[in-house]
Amino acid sequence: MGLLFVLMIPVVALLAWAADTADAMIAGLPELPDRFEAAPQRSVVVDRTGRRLATLQVENRTSVDIDQVPEHVIDAVIATEDHTFWEHGGVNWGAITRSALRIAFSGEIEGGGSTITQQFVKNAFKLSTERAWSRKIKEAVLSVKLEQQMSKEEILEGYLNTIFFGRGAYGVAAASQAYFGIDVRELTDPGQAALLAGVIRAPALAEPSKHPEEAARRSKAALAAVQAQRDRT
């Protein structure tokens, strides 16, 4: 018991420092808008018959409504990236505690543990990707505020339209075209959904054309995560 108390001292100190830092930063946080503007998308040039002639790239992104995304795609993404999405208030405090423990004992700030809301906030506000506590705190505070302002469905829709899937594709609609050459509504194969969910964390490392074994491993893990999620509910 005494050893556990000694080991927890640096963790408590780190959390206290983070709380003080958060208080100091909150006043300088940007205000959340009433609604998020649509992200830059491709401009498609067509002829009078509707045939595509050219695509003027701003960003390879095509926004879609959440009800256009097949349910098994949503299930695969949530199970893989944030299985407590429907329950938490923007931040997974268990993951933050584990991250604090890693920092306290190894001194390293690692990636991972961010909720879907936090990932969306990071993309929407263009927050730095630096692995620093200041960015993590700002991300967490904004995520909690966002959950109070937007519904889960609105947050999920924003996330699915902004997350990077690799192959230059931002958002699930662009990704379905980039990987399979089909409209997102035609993603009827759970294996396709699993592949897309699997590449989110590190698209370059799971690019099927370059790393087929890793892409297959992540797809398999995504399918297993979906099944585990169903078993819990």
Side-chain angles (χ1 to χ4, degrees):
M1 186 70 178
L3 178 60
L4 179 61
F5 176 77
V6 172
L7 292 175
M8 286 301 295
I9 290 176
V11 178
V12 174
L14 181 61
L15 292 175
W17 171 84
D20 289 341
T21 304
D23 289 340
M25 291 176 57
I26 286 174
L29 287 175
E31 287 296 321
L32 292 174
D34 292 334
R35 61 184 298 273
F36 284 91
E37 295 297 327
Q41 301 182 32
R42 295 176 297 169
S43 295
V44 180
V45 180
V46 298
D47 64 16
R48 67 180 60 186
T49 66
R51 181 169 60 92
R52 180 182 300 185
L53 298 177
T55 300
L56 307 179
Q57 296 284 358
V58 175
E59 229 175 42
N60 186 11
R61 187 197 308 272
T62 305
S63 294
V64 293
D65 294 335
I66 189 69
D67 57 11
Q68 293 180 285
V69 183
E71 187 174 349
H72 59 267
V73 175
I74 293 173
D75 290 345
V77 171
I78 290 177
T80 304
E81 285 297 301
D82 182 7
H83 71 271
T84 63
F85 173 71
W86 297 110
E87 288 79 44
H88 65 63
V91 176
N92 185 329
W93 295 109
I96 287 180
T97 301
R98 290 191 293 273
S99 180
L101 286 167
R102 285 196 299 269
I103 295 168
F105 294 114
S106 70
E108 297 180 358
I109 298 178
E110 301 181 9
S114 293
T115 65
I116 280 176
T117 309
Q118 287 174 275
Q119 293 180 57
F120 177 46
V121 161
K122 183 171 67 175
N123 292 331
F125 284 97
K126 306 297 182 184
L127 300 183
S128 167
T129 57
E130 180 185 0
R131 291 179 179 178
W133 265 107
S134 58
R135 194 265 294 173
K136 282 288 188 182
I137 293 170
K138 182 184 295 185
E139 184 182 286
V141 173
L142 286 172
S143 296
V144 172
K145 291 177 66 177
L146 190 66
E147 289 265 354
Q148 296 169 352
Q149 181 172 309
M150 297 175 67
S151 70
K152 286 287 189 180
E153 288 77 11
E154 289 172 327
I155 292 170
L156 185 59
E157 180 178 297
Y159 172 81
L160 289 172
N161 281 320
T162 56
I163 197 69
F164 182 58
F165 284 88
R167 297 194 179 185
Y170 289 82
V172 68
S176 66
Q177 289 287 347
Y179 283 90
F180 307 112
I182 59 177
D183 186 275
V184 65
R185 290 167 291 190
E186 298 172 1
L187 286 174
T188 57
D189 185 348
Q192 295 172 328
L195 186 145
L196 293 182
V199 303
I200 290 175
R201 195 157 299 182
L205 299 180
E207 165 55 49
S209 64
K210 296 180 180 178
H211 308 286
E213 292 183 357
E214 178 62 13
R217 185 190 70 79
R218 293 194 187 191
S219 294
K220 185 176 180 180
L223 289 171
V226 170
Q227 186 59 54
Q229 186 86 325
R230 289 172 179 166
D231 292 342
R232 285 191 290 267
T233 57

Short mmCIF file of all heavy atoms in Angstrom, two decimals, residues 106-137:
data_model
loop_
_atom_site.label_atom_id
_atom_site.label_comp_id
_atom_site.label_asym_id
_atom_site.label_seq_id
_atom_site.Cartn_x
_atom_site.Cartn_y
_atom_site.Cartn_z
N SER A 106 7.44 7.25 -17.68
CA SER A 106 8.38 7.15 -18.80
C SER A 106 8.85 8.52 -19.28
O SER A 106 9.85 8.62 -19.97
CB SER A 106 7.73 6.41 -19.97
OG SER A 106 6.70 7.18 -20.58
N GLY A 107 8.07 9.56 -18.93
CA GLY A 107 8.43 10.91 -19.36
C GLY A 107 8.10 11.20 -20.80
O GLY A 107 8.45 12.24 -21.34
N GLU A 108 7.37 10.28 -21.47
CA GLU A 108 7.04 10.45 -22.88
C GLU A 108 5.56 10.69 -23.07
O GLU A 108 4.73 10.05 -22.42
CB GLU A 108 7.44 9.20 -23.68
CG GLU A 108 8.93 8.91 -23.67
CD GLU A 108 9.27 7.67 -24.49
OE1 GLU A 108 8.33 7.05 -25.01
OE2 GLU A 108 10.46 7.35 -24.59
N ILE A 109 5.23 11.63 -23.95
CA ILE A 109 3.83 11.89 -24.32
C ILE A 109 3.54 11.09 -25.57
O ILE A 109 4.13 11.31 -26.63
CB ILE A 109 3.58 13.39 -24.57
CG1 ILE A 109 3.84 14.19 -23.30
CG2 ILE A 109 2.17 13.63 -25.06
CD1 ILE A 109 3.66 15.69 -23.47
N GLU A 110 2.65 10.13 -25.46
CA GLU A 110 2.34 9.25 -26.58
C GLU A 110 1.02 9.64 -27.22
O GLU A 110 0.17 10.27 -26.61
CB GLU A 110 2.26 7.79 -26.09
CG GLU A 110 3.57 7.30 -25.46
CD GLU A 110 3.46 5.86 -25.02
OE1 GLU A 110 2.45 5.21 -25.36
OE2 GLU A 110 4.38 5.39 -24.33
N GLY A 111 0.87 9.21 -28.48
CA GLY A 111 -0.39 9.44 -29.17
C GLY A 111 -1.42 8.42 -28.75
O GLY A 111 -1.17 7.53 -27.94
N GLY A 112 -2.62 8.52 -29.32
CA GLY A 112 -3.68 7.57 -28.98
C GLY A 112 -4.50 8.06 -27.81
O GLY A 112 -4.12 8.96 -27.08
N GLY A 113 -5.67 7.43 -27.61
CA GLY A 113 -6.51 7.78 -26.49
C GLY A 113 -7.47 8.92 -26.75
O GLY A 113 -8.35 9.17 -25.93
N SER A 114 -7.33 9.62 -27.87
CA SER A 114 -8.23 10.72 -28.17
C SER A 114 -9.58 10.18 -28.63
O SER A 114 -9.64 9.24 -29.42
CB SER A 114 -7.65 11.62 -29.27
OG SER A 114 -6.50 12.29 -28.81
N THR A 115 -10.64 10.79 -28.14
CA THR A 115 -11.98 10.40 -28.57
C THR A 115 -12.26 10.94 -29.96
O THR A 115 -11.52 11.77 -30.50
CB THR A 115 -13.03 10.95 -27.60
OG1 THR A 115 -13.01 12.39 -27.67
CG2 THR A 115 -12.77 10.50 -26.17
N ILE A 116 -13.35 10.47 -30.55
CA ILE A 116 -13.77 11.00 -31.84
C ILE A 116 -14.03 12.50 -31.74
O ILE A 116 -13.68 13.27 -32.64
CB ILE A 116 -15.03 10.24 -32.32
CG1 ILE A 116 -14.61 8.90 -32.94
CG2 ILE A 116 -15.85 11.07 -33.32
CD1 ILE A 116 -15.75 8.01 -33.38
N THR A 117 -14.62 12.93 -30.63
CA THR A 117 -14.88 14.36 -30.43
C THR A 117 -13.58 15.14 -30.40
O THR A 117 -13.46 16.20 -31.03
CB THR A 117 -15.65 14.59 -29.12
OG1 THR A 117 -16.80 13.74 -29.10
CG2 THR A 117 -16.09 16.04 -29.00
N GLN A 118 -12.57 14.64 -29.70
CA GLN A 118 -11.28 15.31 -29.64
C GLN A 118 -10.61 15.37 -31.00
O GLN A 118 -10.02 16.39 -31.38
CB GLN A 118 -10.36 14.60 -28.64
CG GLN A 118 -10.74 14.82 -27.19
CD GLN A 118 -9.90 13.98 -26.25
OE1 GLN A 118 -10.20 12.81 -25.99
NE2 GLN A 118 -8.82 14.56 -25.75
N GLN A 119 -10.70 14.28 -31.76
CA GLN A 119 -10.11 14.28 -33.10
C GLN A 119 -10.80 15.30 -33.99
O GLN A 119 -10.16 15.99 -34.78
CB GLN A 119 -10.21 12.88 -33.70
CG GLN A 119 -9.36 11.83 -33.00
CD GLN A 119 -9.50 10.47 -33.65
OE1 GLN A 119 -9.25 10.29 -34.84
NE2 GLN A 119 -9.92 9.47 -32.88
N PHE A 120 -12.12 15.38 -33.88
CA PHE A 120 -12.87 16.35 -34.67
C PHE A 120 -12.49 17.78 -34.29
O PHE A 120 -12.29 18.63 -35.16
CB PHE A 120 -14.38 16.13 -34.48
CG PHE A 120 -15.25 17.12 -35.21
CD1 PHE A 120 -15.00 17.46 -36.53
CD2 PHE A 120 -16.32 17.73 -34.56
CE1 PHE A 120 -15.79 18.38 -37.20
CE2 PHE A 120 -17.11 18.65 -35.22
CZ PHE A 120 -16.85 18.99 -36.54
N VAL A 121 -12.37 18.03 -33.00
CA VAL A 121 -11.98 19.36 -32.52
C VAL A 121 -10.60 19.73 -33.07
O VAL A 121 -10.38 20.85 -33.53
CB VAL A 121 -11.98 19.41 -30.98
CG1 VAL A 121 -11.15 20.57 -30.46
CG2 VAL A 121 -13.40 19.52 -30.46
N LYS A 122 -9.66 18.78 -33.02
CA LYS A 122 -8.31 19.05 -33.51
C LYS A 122 -8.33 19.43 -34.98
O LYS A 122 -7.63 20.35 -35.41
CB LYS A 122 -7.43 17.82 -33.30
CG LYS A 122 -5.97 18.02 -33.71
CD LYS A 122 -5.10 16.86 -33.28
CE LYS A 122 -5.46 15.59 -34.02
NZ LYS A 122 -4.54 14.48 -33.68
N ASN A 123 -9.18 18.75 -35.77
CA ASN A 123 -9.27 19.06 -37.20
C ASN A 123 -10.04 20.34 -37.45
O ASN A 123 -9.63 21.17 -38.28
CB ASN A 123 -9.95 17.90 -37.94
CG ASN A 123 -9.10 16.65 -37.97
OD1 ASN A 123 -7.88 16.72 -37.95
ND2 ASN A 123 -9.73 15.49 -38.01
N ALA A 124 -11.15 20.54 -36.73
CA ALA A 124 -12.00 21.71 -36.96
C ALA A 124 -11.30 23.01 -36.59
O ALA A 124 -11.46 24.03 -37.25
CB ALA A 124 -13.30 21.57 -36.18
N PHE A 125 -10.53 22.97 -35.50
CA PHE A 125 -9.84 24.18 -35.04
C PHE A 125 -8.39 24.24 -35.51
O PHE A 125 -7.66 25.15 -35.14
CB PHE A 125 -9.89 24.27 -33.52
CG PHE A 125 -11.22 24.69 -32.99
CD1 PHE A 125 -12.14 23.76 -32.54
CD2 PHE A 125 -11.58 26.03 -32.95
CE1 PHE A 125 -13.38 24.14 -32.05
CE2 PHE A 125 -12.81 26.43 -32.47
CZ PHE A 125 -13.71 25.49 -32.02
N LYS A 126 -7.98 23.25 -36.31
CA LYS A 126 -6.61 23.21 -36.84
C LYS A 126 -5.59 23.31 -35.72
O LYS A 126 -4.61 24.07 -35.80
CB LYS A 126 -6.39 24.34 -37.86
CG LYS A 126 -7.38 24.38 -39.00
CD LYS A 126 -7.31 23.13 -39.85
CE LYS A 126 -8.27 23.19 -41.03
NZ LYS A 126 -8.29 21.95 -41.83
N LEU A 127 -5.82 22.56 -34.64
CA LEU A 127 -4.89 22.58 -33.52
C LEU A 127 -3.59 21.90 -33.93
O LEU A 127 -3.55 21.03 -34.78
CB LEU A 127 -5.48 21.86 -32.30
CG LEU A 127 -6.78 22.43 -31.74
CD1 LEU A 127 -7.20 21.64 -30.50
CD2 LEU A 127 -6.62 23.90 -31.39
N SER A 128 -2.53 22.29 -33.27
CA SER A 128 -1.21 21.72 -33.55
C SER A 128 -1.25 20.22 -33.31
O SER A 128 -1.95 19.72 -32.43
CB SER A 128 -0.16 22.36 -32.64
OG SER A 128 1.04 21.63 -32.66
N THR A 129 -0.48 19.46 -34.09
CA THR A 129 -0.37 18.02 -33.89
C THR A 129 0.76 17.68 -32.92
O THR A 129 1.04 16.51 -32.68
CB THR A 129 -0.11 17.30 -35.23
OG1 THR A 129 1.09 17.85 -35.82
CG2 THR A 129 -1.27 17.48 -36.18
N GLU A 130 1.39 18.70 -32.34
CA GLU A 130 2.47 18.46 -31.39
C GLU A 130 1.95 17.70 -30.18
O GLU A 130 0.88 17.98 -29.66
CB GLU A 130 3.04 19.81 -30.92
CG GLU A 130 4.18 19.67 -29.92
CD GLU A 130 4.62 21.02 -29.39
OE1 GLU A 130 4.03 22.04 -29.82
OE2 GLU A 130 5.55 21.04 -28.56
N ARG A 131 2.72 16.71 -29.73
CA ARG A 131 2.32 15.93 -28.57
C ARG A 131 2.72 16.68 -27.30
O ARG A 131 3.69 16.35 -26.63
CB ARG A 131 2.98 14.55 -28.62
CG ARG A 131 2.45 13.67 -29.73
CD ARG A 131 3.16 12.33 -29.75
NE ARG A 131 2.63 11.47 -30.82
CZ ARG A 131 3.10 10.27 -31.09
NH1 ARG A 131 4.09 9.76 -30.40
NH2 ARG A 131 2.58 9.55 -32.07
N ALA A 132 1.96 17.71 -26.99
CA ALA A 132 2.26 18.54 -25.82
C ALA A 132 1.02 18.63 -24.95
O ALA A 132 -0.11 18.58 -25.44
CB ALA A 132 2.69 19.94 -26.27
N TRP A 133 1.23 18.77 -23.64
CA TRP A 133 0.11 18.83 -22.71
C TRP A 133 -0.77 20.04 -22.99
O TRP A 133 -1.99 19.99 -22.83
CB TRP A 133 0.61 18.86 -21.27
CG TRP A 133 0.63 17.51 -20.64
CD1 TRP A 133 1.72 16.74 -20.36
CD2 TRP A 133 -0.51 16.72 -20.25
NE1 TRP A 133 1.34 15.54 -19.81
CE2 TRP A 133 -0.02 15.50 -19.73
CE3 TRP A 133 -1.88 16.93 -20.28
CZ2 TRP A 133 -0.85 14.51 -19.24
CZ3 TRP A 133 -2.72 15.93 -19.80
CH2 TRP A 133 -2.21 14.74 -19.29
N SER A 134 -0.16 21.15 -23.39
CA SER A 134 -0.96 22.37 -23.64
C SER A 134 -1.99 22.13 -24.73
O SER A 134 -3.14 22.54 -24.62
CB SER A 134 -0.04 23.53 -24.03
OG SER A 134 0.72 23.20 -25.18
N ARG A 135 -1.58 21.43 -25.80
CA ARG A 135 -2.52 21.14 -26.89
C ARG A 135 -3.57 20.13 -26.43
O ARG A 135 -4.75 20.24 -26.74
CB ARG A 135 -1.76 20.60 -28.10
CG ARG A 135 -2.57 20.56 -29.39
CD ARG A 135 -3.22 19.22 -29.64
NE ARG A 135 -2.22 18.19 -29.87
CZ ARG A 135 -2.50 16.90 -29.98
NH1 ARG A 135 -3.74 16.48 -29.83
NH2 ARG A 135 -1.55 16.01 -30.18
N LYS A 136 -3.16 19.12 -25.66
CA LYS A 136 -4.09 18.11 -25.16
C LYS A 136 -5.15 18.72 -24.26
O LYS A 136 -6.33 18.37 -24.32
CB LYS A 136 -3.32 17.02 -24.40
CG LYS A 136 -2.60 16.01 -25.29
CD LYS A 136 -3.60 15.08 -25.96
CE LYS A 136 -2.93 13.95 -26.69
NZ LYS A 136 -3.91 13.06 -27.38
N ILE A 137 -4.74 19.66 -23.40
CA ILE A 137 -5.68 20.31 -22.49
C ILE A 137 -6.69 21.15 -23.27
O ILE A 137 -7.89 21.10 -23.04
CB ILE A 137 -4.94 21.15 -21.45
CG1 ILE A 137 -4.12 20.25 -20.52
CG2 ILE A 137 -5.91 22.00 -20.63
CD1 ILE A 137 -3.17 20.99 -19.61
#
